[in-house]
Amino acid sequence: MKLSYLWRGLPGHPIHPPLTDATIGAYTAATAMGFASVIGVAETSAAHGWWLALVVGLIFTSLTAVTGFVDWLTIEWKSPLWWTATWHMGSMVTATVFFLIAALVGHSGYNDGAVESLPFVLTVVGFVFLTVGGWLGGAVVYVHGMRVLSLVDEPPDRAASPAPHPEKEAAEGS
Ligand code: HEM
């Protein structure tokens, strides 16, 4: 066992990807509820849900960004993988800034039960950067193969096991 398993996850079971699901889910829900409020569907409830989902997304982002960052630190500097991961980071940080400003300037909309134009536009722009960042995150994993063990014939019980196997660590090089 390595101490880094606490913040990087285990071989075959990295921590960053499941956290990204929660983060992207919260921001997606916020964008959908913001849109619903703007077009007048359940306007007040949707405005409340929009703002709360933004806050949930921002809370998850802190953990998601830290776990992604510690993985990023292990990448060879200026390698092709590093560039893809760095563009991913830039896009996600930009998305986070837009969501944060939307939550800050949109709090009055939460109180009034109606999403205002500016915070809604900020939410949509944040969502565009989130989508680009998600695409690049997918490239990091599914094109470059970062943190992928690809043990195709691993028996299901061993594949699902939380206990790392020496051969997995060797395949991952960590
Ligand atoms: C809002 C914050 C973030 C979100 C939503 C996010 C999302 C994602 C997604 C969707 C993937 C692909 C995972 C998969 O499909 O299995 C990924 C991978 C990755 N991301 Fe992020 N990311 C965020 C922040 C960051 C930051 C700040 C860094 C730092 C450079 C980073 C570095 C990485 C790395 C290195 C991977 C490869 C897989 C791994 O190491 O676990 N991410 N990210």
Side-chain angles (χ1 to χ4, degrees):
M1 286 292 274
K2 294 177 182 173
L3 199 57
S4 65
Y5 289 168
L6 289 174
W7 53 86
R8 294 196 67 210
L10 301 166
H13 306 281
I15 294 178
H16 184 63
L19 285 170
T20 71
D21 293 343
T23 308
I24 293 171
Y27 288 138
T28 303
T31 307
M33 285 189 275
F35 180 67
S37 180
V38 165
I39 65 170
V41 176
E43 188 175 356
T44 304
S45 317
H48 290 159
W50 159 77
W51 193 82
L52 291 172
L54 277 182
V55 173
V56 170
L58 289 165
I59 291 168
F60 272 115
T61 293
S62 55
L63 297 171
T64 307
V66 168
T67 52
F69 187 72
V70 293
D71 269 356
W72 177 80
L73 289 174
T74 67
I75 303 171
E76 184 192 342
W77 189 256
K78 295 198 174 174
S79 62
L81 166 60
W82 183 88
W83 280 112
T84 310
T86 303
W87 281 107
H88 164 70
M89 171 171 58
S91 195
M92 287 311 189
V93 169
T94 306
T96 304
V97 169
F98 275 97
F99 289 131
L100 177 62
I101 297 172
L104 292 174
V105 302
H107 190 249
S108 54
Y110 170 77
N111 288 332
D112 300 342
V115 180
E116 292 151 3
S117 305
L118 176 62
F120 178 65
V121 169
L122 292 169
T123 304
V124 172
V125 175
F127 191 76
V128 170
F129 278 102
L130 181 76
T131 304
V132 172
W135 177 278
L136 294 173
V140 169
V141 175
Y142 303 107
V143 178
H144 292 292
M146 182 169 182
R147 305 228 43 187
V148 174
L149 300 180
S150 202
L151 302 175
V152 176
D153 296 322
E154 190 80 336
D157 59 326
R158 286 166 60 89
S161 166
H165 303 293
E167 66 273 30
K168 286 184 179 174
E169 294 184 45
E172 194 177 49
S174 63

